[in-house]
C-alpha cells in the first residue's frame, strides 16, 4: 500500500501571442506601432488581455500607459470577460477522488481530462491521506491507523471483486478484451474509497482560475482542495503576478493557510 500526502502541481500550458500577426492587424487598421499600442511589452498573457480590452474601444496607443494600472482597472471594474482569453493548463497528481469530485463542479471556463477508473487497473492505487491525518502526534497516528486499516480492506475487496467479476462475466458477451476489462473494472471500482489517488489535466482561463481560487482557498473549503488552490495560486502569482497579486495568503491558528482576493469574482 502506498500513501500520498500533498499534490504535485505541474503548469504545462500557457498563453502565446503571434506578434507578427498582431503587428499586421495594427498596420491594416492604421494603428500606432506595437510598442505604442501594446503596453504589456512581450508578456503574452498580459498582451492577450490588453489587445482584447483595447479592441472594445479601439484605444490602441491611447488611455492608461502602464500595464499594471491597465490590468488593475479591469479587475477593479469587474471587466472580467477579457481575462477569459488567457488559459493555463495544469496536471495535478497525488490528489484524491474526493478532491477531483469537488474540482469538476467548476464549469465555466474549465476543461478536464482525468485518469479513467474503467480503463486503468487500480490494484496498485495509492491513497491520499487527508491533511488532518498527516499531522504529527499520537492522536493523528491513531486516526491514521484507522484510515489505513479501512483503505487496506477496500484495496483487498477491489482485488477480490476483480477476480469474482472476471469469473462472472462471460467472454462471449464482449466484442473485445478491452470492453470486458472495462466491464470488470467499472463494477469493481464500486469499493474504491474517496481517498483513491487520481491524476487530472485541468485547463482554465484566468477569470475561472481566480473564481476557483477564491472559493477553494477560503477558510470554509476542504483542506485538501484548499492546499491545492493555494499551490496553484502561488504558481500563477510567480507566472503572471499582475493577474493574481491582489490575492493575500494568510496562516490560520490551526496551521492551515487561506487566500482571499481584493477583487472578488471579476
Ligand atoms: C466550501 C464549499 C462547499 C460546497 N458544498 C457543496 C455541497 O454541499 N453540495 C454541492 O452540491 N455543492 C457544493 N459546493 C459546490 C458549489 O455549489 C459549486 O458547484 C462550486 O463551488 C462551483 O462554483 P460555481 O458554480 O460558482 O463555479 P462555475 O461552475 O465555474 O461557475 C462560475 C460562475 O458562472 C456562473 N454560472 C455557471 N454556470 C451557470 C449556470 N448554469 N447558470 C447561471 N450561471 C452560471 C455563476 O455565476 C458561477 O458562479 C461547495 C463549494 C464550496 C466552495
Amino acid at each position: 500500500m502506498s500513501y500520498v500526502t500533498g499534490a504535485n502541481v505541474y503548469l504545462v500550458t500557457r498563453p502565446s501571442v503571434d506578434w507578427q500577426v498582431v503587428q499586421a492587424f495594427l498596420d491594416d487598421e492604421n494603428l500606432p506601432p506595437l510598442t505604442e499600442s501594446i503596453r504589456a511589452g512581450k508578456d503574452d498573457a498580459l498582451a492577450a488581455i490588453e489587445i482584447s480590452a483595447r479592441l472594445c474601444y479601439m484605444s490602441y496607443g491611447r488611455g492608461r500607459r502602464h500595464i499594471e494600472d491597465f490590468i488593475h482597472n479591469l479587475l477593479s471594474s469587474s471587466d472580467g470577460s477579457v481575462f477569459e482569453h488567457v488559459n493555463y493548463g495544469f496536471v495535478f497528481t497525488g490528489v484524491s477522488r474526493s478532491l477531483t469530485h469537488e474540482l469538476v463542479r467548476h464549469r465555466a471556463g474549465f476543461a478536464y481530462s482525468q485518469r479513467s477508473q474503467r480503463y486503468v487497473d487500480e490494484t496498485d492505487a495509492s491513497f491520499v491521506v487527508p491533511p488532518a491525518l498527516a499531522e504529527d502526534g499520537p492522536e493523528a497516528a491513531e486516526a491514521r491507523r484507522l484510515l489505513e486499516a479501512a483503505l487496506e480492506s477496500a484495496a483487498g475487496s477491489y482485488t477480490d471483486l476483480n477476480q469474482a467479476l472476471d469469473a462472472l462475466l462471460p467472454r462471449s458477451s464482449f466484442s473485445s478484451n478491452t470492453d470486458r476489462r472495462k466491464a470488470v473494472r467499472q463494477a469493481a471500482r464500486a469499493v474504491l474509497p474517496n481517498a483513491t489517488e487520481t491524476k487530472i489535466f485541468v485547463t482554465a482561463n484566468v477569470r475561472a482560475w481566480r473564481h476557483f481560487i477564491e472559493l477553494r482557498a477560503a477558510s470554509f473549503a476542504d483542506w485538501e482542495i484548499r492546499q491545492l488552490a493555494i499551490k496553484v495560486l502561488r504558481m500563477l502569482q510567480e507566472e503572471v503576478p499582475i493577474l493574481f497579486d491582489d490575492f493575500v495568503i494568510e496562516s490560520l491558528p490551526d496551521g492551515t493557510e487561506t487566500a482571499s482576493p481584493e477583487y472578488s469574482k471579476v
Side-chain angles (χ1 to χ4, degrees), residues 97-244:
R97 274 258 165 181
S98 44
L99 182 148
T100 57
H101 187 78
E102 294 184 344
L103 173 61
V104 300
R105 293 295 303 278
H106 292 266
R107 300 158 290 174
F110 275 86
Y112 302 102
S113 299
Q114 180 165 17
R115 179 174 125 131
S116 167
Q117 287 188 329
R118 299 177 72 210
Y119 276 91
V120 182
D121 176 37
E122 295 281 26
T123 303
D124 295 320
S126 298
F127 296 98
V128 176
V129 178
L133 302 184
E135 316 243 310
D136 293 331
E139 287 90 356
E142 173 56 15
R144 193 165 161 164
R145 196 189 58 70
L146 293 173
L147 174 82
E148 289 177 2
L151 296 178
E152 274 169 35
S153 167
S157 299
Y158 177 78
T159 303
D160 294 345
L161 253 184
N162 262 305
Q163 284 166 5
L165 285 155
D166 194 42
L168 175 72
L169 299 178
R171 282 170 204 284
S172 55
S173 305
F174 297 91
S175 55
S176 70
N177 281 339
T178 305
D179 284 350
R180 186 164 176 278
R181 273 198 301 272
K182 249 167 59 185
V184 168
R185 288 171 187 164
Q186 74 195 12
R189 69 174 169 169
V191 295
L192 288 173
N194 272 343
T196 308
E197 190 258 353
T198 185
K199 305 174 202 307
I200 190 164
F201 190 147
V202 188
T203 303
N205 64 57
V206 164
R207 190 184 207 181
W209 279 124
R210 286 185 57 95
H211 182 57
F212 166 78
I213 294 164
E214 180 171 356
L215 290 186
R216 299 302 180 173
S219 60
F220 42 80
D222 180 283
W223 289 6
E224 188 193 355
I225 200 166
R226 184 150 35 113
Q227 286 181 350
L228 178 83
I230 290 172
K231 272 187 189 174
V232 168
L233 172 61
R234 286 200 162 102
M235 289 175 79
L236 289 173
Q237 282 182 328
E238 197 177 322
E239 174 78 15
V240 59
I242 296 176
L243 298 182
F244 291 91

Side-chain angles (χ1 to χ4, degrees), residues 13-67:
T13 66
R14 46 173 63 84
S16 146
V17 170
D18 189 326
W19 289 100
Q20 276 187 336
V21 176
V22 174
Q23 180 65 71
F25 155 66
L26 295 173
D27 291 345
D28 289 350
E29 297 290 331
N30 295 316
L31 292 164
L34 260 181
T35 46
E36 280 176 50
S37 282
I38 311 300
R39 306 293 179 173
K42 287 288 175 190
D43 186 310
D44 289 9
L46 300 179
I49 293 167
E50 188 184 5
I51 292 164
S52 61
R54 288 199 188 276
L55 187 132
C56 300
Y57 307 113
M58 290 304 275
S59 65
Y60 300 100
R62 293 189 282 114
R64 292 170 195 273
R65 302 183 66 80
H66 298 289
I67 191 65

